[in-house]
Amino acid sequence: MNAHDSEKVAGVLLGRGYQQVADIEAAKVVFTTRAASGRRRHRKVFSRLGEFRKHPDHGKVIGVLGCVAQQEGEEIFERAPWVSLVCGSASYSKLPTLLAELEAGNRRVTGLDTDTDETFETEITRRDNPFRAYLTIIEGCDKSCAYCVVPYTRGPERSRSSASVLEEVRKAADAGYSEIQLLGQTVNSYRDPAARGMTFAELL
């Protein structure tokens, strides 16, 4: 799911005319994303952010994405004041708006909604594997296990409509992808929000 999140974010940036560069020194926008499980991963995020501390005066947009962003929220700005964007996975479709706000001169922006169906759709998804297409069918979790932060970082379970899933599958197949990998915290909890209420087995 983290790999697919990165594909979505890359697609959003490409859709706004950004281009990937080989050298971080040449980058105008730098995003870091990690899952929120364990202190070690948190330390890695802030250690990585420390490497960007020298860049605030050089016009770089430094952003934190994903579950750590959702879990830590605006506290990231306090720990790393050179960060200008904090965005959870459910708000990736809003990245164009957030980037526009930064381009307009806003110093800090956030996208921290969790209970939204907009998480499934982004303008463009850049696919990094030539044969396998990732496709999110359900987001969030209702299980609330004591050891897991997913309900707090990804929100409650929201299933994507079967019509939308099947349309994207057909497009991927037409584009030559021979493997479709369906993603979600608990994919077998999938339930089509449309009237039919298609189950995961029926979707397959």
Side-chain angles (χ1 to χ4, degrees):
M1 291 195 72
N2 289 330
H4 187 43
D5 281 352
S6 294
E7 289 182 338
K8 289 179 181 178
V9 170
V12 168
L13 293 174
L14 291 170
R16 281 192 62 80
Y18 287 91
Q19 295 180 336
Q20 189 169 348
V21 294
D23 189 331
I24 197 169
E25 295 297 327
K28 294 294 184 184
V29 176
V30 180
F31 290 151
T32 182
T33 179
R34 280 195 182 273
S37 56
R39 292 180 183 175
R40 184 179 177 187
R41 293 194 177 190
H42 277 68
R43 285 198 300 269
K44 281 188 175 182
V45 168
F46 286 101
S47 174
R48 181 69 169 152
L49 289 175
E51 298 174 19
F52 305 139
R53 188 171 191 166
K54 62 183 178 181
H55 294 300
D57 297 330
H58 299 285
K60 286 190 190 300
V61 170
I62 308 297
V64 180
L65 307 177
C67 290
V68 167
Q70 194 70 52
Q71 187 174 26
E72 299 297 323
E74 295 189 17
E75 289 186 16
I76 291 173
F77 296 135
E78 297 178 17
R79 293 185 61 178
W82 52 95
V83 170
S84 52
L85 182 147
V86 174
C87 181
S89 59
S91 297
Y92 288 157
S93 63
K94 297 178 181 176
L95 274 174
T97 301
L98 298 178
L99 287 169
E101 290 179 19
L102 290 174
E103 291 164 0
N106 286 11
R107 186 163 171 259
R108 290 174 177 168
V109 295
T110 59
L112 297 171
D113 294 333
T114 54
D115 190 5
T116 173
D117 292 335
E118 294 176 8
T119 185
F120 299 118
E121 311 295 342
T122 51
E123 294 175 322
I124 303 171
T125 297
R126 184 192 72 185
R127 305 223 180 256
D128 295 328
N129 187 300
F131 310 108
R132 178 188 306 120
Y134 295 125
L135 200 156
T136 303
I137 64 167
I138 185 171
E139 266 279 356
C141 186
D142 294 338
K143 305 295 188 290
S144 297
C145 301
Y147 56 84
C148 182
V149 299
V150 164
Y152 307 101
T153 59
R154 296 247 179 192
E157 286 180 358
R158 291 100 65 207
S159 293
R160 186 178 180 182
S161 74
S162 60
S164 175
V165 171
L166 293 172
E167 180 184 0
E168 188 168 351
V169 168
R170 290 188 189 100
K171 287 180 179 177
D174 290 343
Y177 291 94
S178 55
E179 179 182 329
I180 305 293
Q181 189 164 327
L182 304 180
L183 302 178
Q185 274 66 41
T186 315
V187 288
N188 54 314
S189 292
Y190 175 85
R191 180 70 65 173
D192 188 357
R196 180 178 172 183
M198 189 183 292
T199 66
F200 179 57
E202 289 170 329
L203 179 67
L204 289 177

